[in-house]
Amino acid sequence: MSKLYIVPTPIGNLKDITLRAIEVLKEADLILAEDTRTSGKLLKHFEINTPMQSHHMHNEHKTVDSIIQKLKAGTKIALVSDAGTPAISDPGFLLSRACVENNIDIECLPGATAFVPALVNSGFPNDKFVFEGFLPVKKGRQTRLLLLAEETRTMIFYESPHKLIKTLGHFCEYFGEDRPVSVSRELTKLFEETIRGTAKEVLEYYTNKPPKGEIVIIVGGRTD
């Protein structure tokens, strides 16, 4: 029976890949990779020789139909992103939806994803939380921030280093300068760090120390 395997990959430390993930990638007929150069380094490290095909946000709309046909023909396909679990702020949703519509089984392996360690590291309540991913860049950003200003659950955001200052400034403006914030950077890597404080304090820290690397922001919910 046809099946799509969704395989999480390490977000930094290569030791965080699971034995099962390595096994699936070795046994697959084809690996769909967000960036074949990035995934190529991972496959080489673990001596995986499975052929790869590019599958990213700029071509996924065009390639989904052909991939579905390959799955129907019995091709064993594994989907990976550059880092973490596919479809979490990465390509994967369109293909998984198409598989459901075509009665093709999906098996998503457990594994690395950036927001879970960042959430736990923050020390904020995590019995209930909201994953927001990347905020809109322009259109809809203000509307979203106004809505989230009333959110009482812990919120999770992804952000690029060159937009972090702007985003923290918006948190000060819309959520208040005293709102608790935790920024985790370079998770699982050599220079991993988590900075906690009020929105104003964390903004001042990164204004004086420009950030690098992958970033997850955790914001406490409204309490008043």
Side-chain angles (χ1 to χ4, degrees):
M1 181 177 288
S2 299
K3 183 182 289 188
L4 172 69
Y5 292 86
I6 299 177
V7 184
T9 56
I11 60 175
N13 193 321
L14 293 181
K15 294 178 181 178
D16 290 336
I17 196 168
T18 67
L19 296 174
R20 185 173 167 215
I22 294 172
E23 181 180 85
V24 168
L25 293 176
K26 284 185 175 180
E27 293 180 355
D29 299 312
L30 177 67
I31 295 173
L32 302 177
E34 186 179 2
D35 187 325
T36 55
R37 295 166 298 181
T38 300
S39 296
K41 296 175 184 177
L42 178 72
L43 300 189
K44 183 178 180 180
H45 180 82
F46 290 105
E47 299 180 345
I48 299 170
N49 300 312
T50 307
M52 286 187 291
Q53 177 181 318
S54 180
H55 183 78
H56 49 74
M57 63 179 294
H58 301 295
N59 74 355
E60 59 179 335
H61 288 84
K62 300 177 182 178
T63 58
V64 164
D65 289 343
S66 64
I67 293 169
I68 291 297
Q69 293 308 311
K70 288 179 180 178
L71 285 163
K72 287 182 175 180
T75 305
K76 187 175 181 179
I77 298 178
L79 171 68
V80 300
S81 60
D82 287 349
T85 300
I88 303 296
S89 293
D90 275 324
F93 162 67
L94 292 179
L95 182 55
S96 62
R97 182 179 64 181
C99 285
V100 171
E101 292 171 348
N102 286 274
N103 295 315
I104 295 171
D105 285 345
I106 305 169
E107 187 168 338
C108 182
L109 279 62
T113 189
F115 78 79
V116 174
L119 174 62
V120 176
N121 281 343
S122 72
F124 297 169
N126 55 31
D127 55 331
K128 297 181 179 67
F129 56 88
V130 181
F131 177 75
E132 284 292 319
F134 290 96
L135 282 166
V137 177
K138 292 181 180 179
K139 186 178 180 181
R141 187 179 181 94
Q142 182 182 39
T143 301
R144 194 68 196 160
L145 287 166
L146 286 169
L147 179 66
L148 291 173
E150 304 302 317
E151 177 60 63
T152 58
R153 294 167 292 181
T154 299
M155 295 171 279
I156 304 168
F157 302 89
Y158 285 166
E159 192 52 280
S160 61
H162 66 279
K163 294 179 181 176
L164 178 62
I165 300 301
K166 176 182 177 181
T167 296
L168 290 173
H170 282 158
F171 289 167
C172 287
E173 179 182 352
Y174 290 92
F175 301 165
E177 293 183 344
D178 293 331
R179 185 69 70 95
V181 169
S182 174
V183 174
S184 288
R185 185 180 67 84
E186 293 287 81
L187 286 165
T188 80
K189 301 177 184 177
L190 182 61
F191 298 106
E192 174 180 339
E193 72 170 7
T194 295
I195 302 299
R196 307 172 186 86
T198 64
K200 181 180 179 181
E201 290 169 343
V202 177
L203 172 59
E204 289 175 350
Y205 176 87
Y206 281 112
T207 298
N208 295 321
K209 187 179 179 181
K212 296 180 181 179
E214 302 296 325
I215 291 169
V216 185
I217 312 172
I218 311 297
V219 180
R222 182 172 178 173
T223 56
D224 58 323

